[in-house]
Amino acid sequence: MKIYWRHIPQANNSYAALSAACEVHGYNLEAAEGPCPDVTCYSINSIDERLYRDEIAGADCITVVGGPHASACYREVARYADYVVVGEGEYTLPALLFAIEEGRDPPPGVATAAGYTPARHTVLLDGHPPFSAVKGFIEITRGCPFSCGYCQTPRLFGRCMRHRSVDEISRYAARFRDIRFVTPNALAYGSDGVHIRLDRVERLLRSLDGRVYFGTFPGEVRPECISQQALDLIVETCANTRLHFGAQSGSDRVLRLLHRGHTVEDVVRAVDLCRDNGLVPVVDFIFGLPFESDDDQRATLDLVRMVTRAGRAHIHYFMPLPGTPLKQSRPRPLLPETEKILGKLALDGRITGSWMDHEIRFFRRTPHL
C-alpha cells in the first residue's frame, strides 16, 4: 500500500513528526503535490481548509485528514474525507493505516461519516521521534496549562504539559548546526507551565552543542516568565539576539477576559529586561478582539508603540478558531487611527504581520503542528 503526504508548507513540522511515527511501523509517507493512490494524508488548519476541501472531496484515493481544523470540526471534515484523525496523530495514524491495509474498522481517535470514538491514549513525547528522514524542529513540550480564549493549543493537546527528555532532545539536536524548538513556552520546559523550573531549562541548554535559538519562533516564551535569571542563562548559552513573547493586548481588562494569566505590567517589565540585556523583544498583539472597547484598542496601540521603541511587534487581527471559547465571536473593526498608526509603523519597518488579511498573516508564518 502506497501512502502519500500532501505537501502543505504550513504543515511541514507535522509531516516530519508523523512521517517519523509511521516509519517506526513500516509505513513511508512520500511527499506529493496532490492526491495519489492508495492513501493521501493531509494536515489542515482553519485558514487553508477551504483551499483543499474540494481536492479532498474529489480525490480518487483514500483520504486521511488531520490537523487543527480537522480535529475541531471532525464531523464537518468527515463529510468530504474518508478518515479524520482527531487530535494527536503519532499513535493514531499508524494504527489507522494498519486498519486500512487489513480492511478493519478504524481505531479510536478516527472519525468517519459513520461516527467517532475518542482516543483512549495520550502521546508521550519520548515514545515517538520528533523527526526521522524528514527533518523538522524539535518539539520539546506539548500542552499548555493556560486557557486563552482564542487559542486551540490546550484544546488539542490538553492543559498538562508533557516534555521530551533532555537526553532525547540532545540526541536529535546533534543533527543540526542551528537548533530550534517547538514549544508553547520555552521557559516552561521541565515544569507544570505555571511554576517555572529554570534549573531544568539550564540542564537542557547546557546539554546542547551548536547554535541554540531559544525563546524565538516557533518556541516563544510568556512575558511573566522573563526574569533577569532567565535572560542571564539565555545570553550565556544561546545564539539568539531576539526574544519572542505574546502580549496580545494593552488592556488588563481584556487580558482578564482572555484568561491570559499575565498583566500589562508583566509585558512592560519583560520589554525592559530584554532591552537591558541586549535582546530585541519581538511581541505579539491581537487587534479586533470581540470584547475590546475603543479605549482598550487605544491602550493596545500605545503598548505597541512602546514596544517598538525598543524592539519589534507582530500584529494579528482576531480570528475566531473552531474549538475555542471565542469560536462564535466576531472580530471588532479597527479604529481609523489604529489603521493609520499601524500602517506608519509597518512602513518604518517596526511591525510585521497583517491586521486586515488572515491569509497574509498566516502564510508568512512558520509551519503549524
Side-chain angles (χ1 to χ4, degrees):
M1 183 173 72
K2 294 276 288 183
I3 304 158
Y4 293 87
W5 178 275
R6 177 61 161 96
H7 175 241
I8 300 173
Q10 291 71 36
N12 282 345
N13 221 60
S14 295
Y15 179 31
L18 294 176
S19 178
C22 289
E23 184 181 306
V24 171
H25 296 274
Y27 296 108
N28 176 49
L29 272 57
E30 183 178 337
E33 295 300 326
C36 300
D38 301 313
V39 179
T40 303
C41 303
Y42 292 74
S43 179
I44 58 175
N45 63 51
S46 297
I47 295 176
D48 62 27
E49 183 266 347
R50 68 176 184 81
L51 302 177
Y52 299 100
R53 182 192 310 146
D54 291 344
E55 176 182 301
I56 296 167
D60 189 21
C61 63
I62 296 171
T63 54
V64 177
V65 182
H69 183 85
S71 294
C73 303
Y74 61 85
R75 291 185 182 87
E76 168 200 322
V77 176
R79 288 199 288 266
Y80 60 82
D82 294 307
Y83 300 98
V84 181
V85 174
V86 180
E88 300 172 307
E90 285 92 343
Y91 176 83
T92 305
L93 180 57
L96 172 60
L97 295 175
F98 180 75
I100 293 171
E101 196 169 33
E102 295 290 311
R104 300 180 182 179
D105 291 336
V110 176
T112 67
Y116 170 61
T117 301
R120 296 188 294 265
H121 68 272
T122 298
V123 169
L124 301 178
L125 295 187
D126 272 3
H128 303 274
F131 61 83
S132 182
V134 179
K135 273 190 173 182
F137 299 121
I138 303 170
E139 186 181 17
I140 62 172
T141 298
R142 187 175 291 182
C144 179
F146 297 93
S147 189
C148 302
Y150 56 83
C151 183
Q152 290 177 314
T153 296
R155 284 91 203 176
L156 288 170
F157 301 127
R159 297 184 64 178
C160 179
M161 299 194 91
R162 292 163 278 156
H163 307 283
R164 200 178 300 275
S165 68
V166 169
D167 289 346
E168 283 294 288
I169 295 168
S170 298
R171 183 157 73 91
Y172 285 95
R175 306 186 194 184
F176 292 94
R177 178 179 298 174
D178 292 345
I179 304 166
R180 300 178 188 272
F181 303 116
V182 172
T183 170
N185 180 6
L187 286 171
Y189 177 76
S191 75
D192 63 4
V194 178
H195 308 94
I196 302 306
R197 292 292 304 271
L198 282 180
D199 57 323
R200 295 179 180 175
V201 175
E202 180 172 9
R203 180 171 172 247
L204 168 63
L205 293 177
R206 295 196 186 282
S207 75
L208 303 172
D209 293 318
R211 290 194 294 264
V212 180
Y213 293 84
F214 192 80
T216 60
F217 194 85
E220 302 101 323
V221 298
R222 286 177 55 90
E224 77 276 17
C225 299
I226 298 172
S227 64
Q228 185 59 54
Q229 185 181 1
L231 296 191
D232 286 343
L233 181 60
I234 290 171
V235 169
E236 179 185 351
T237 60
C238 301
N240 45 295
T241 57
R242 298 183 172 206
L243 201 65
H244 196 153
F245 54 95
Q248 314 312 355
S249 176
S251 162
D252 281 323
R253 185 186 75 88
V254 171
L255 291 175
R256 285 192 298 271
L257 290 170
L258 286 176
H259 302 290
R260 272 294 292 171
H262 68 76
T263 65
V264 173
E265 182 56 35
D266 290 325
V267 176
V268 174
R269 186 183 304 109
V271 169
D272 289 343
L273 281 168
C274 287
R275 180 197 59 207
D276 294 345
N277 286 271
L279 292 171
V280 176
V282 181
V283 186
D284 280 334
F285 291 91
I286 302 173
F287 281 89
L289 289 159
F291 32 69
E292 182 181 74
S293 70
D294 288 356
D295 286 343
D296 292 326
Q297 193 173 117
R298 291 187 182 103
T300 300
L301 194 59
D302 287 344
L303 189 56
V304 168
R305 286 187 285 199
M306 186 280 289
V307 166
T308 55
R309 287 195 288 269
R312 297 289 183 268
H314 189 81
I315 309 300
H316 308 260
Y317 185 59
F318 170 69
M319 177 181 179
L321 294 174
T324 68
L326 296 180
K327 64 183 177 182
Q328 303 283 347
S329 302
R330 299 185 64 180
R332 188 176 185 277
L334 298 185
L335 298 169
E337 65 199 79
T338 300
E339 292 185 346
K340 179 179 178 181
I341 293 170
L342 292 179
K344 184 177 186 307
L345 291 172
L347 288 173
D348 292 343
R350 296 159 70 186
I351 65 173
T352 57
S354 174
W355 42 99
M356 293 174 287
D357 189 324
H358 293 301
E359 293 189 15
I360 292 174
R361 180 203 72 182
F362 175 76
F363 288 118
R364 289 180 178 173
R365 295 289 274 176
T366 301
H368 67 76
L369 287 177

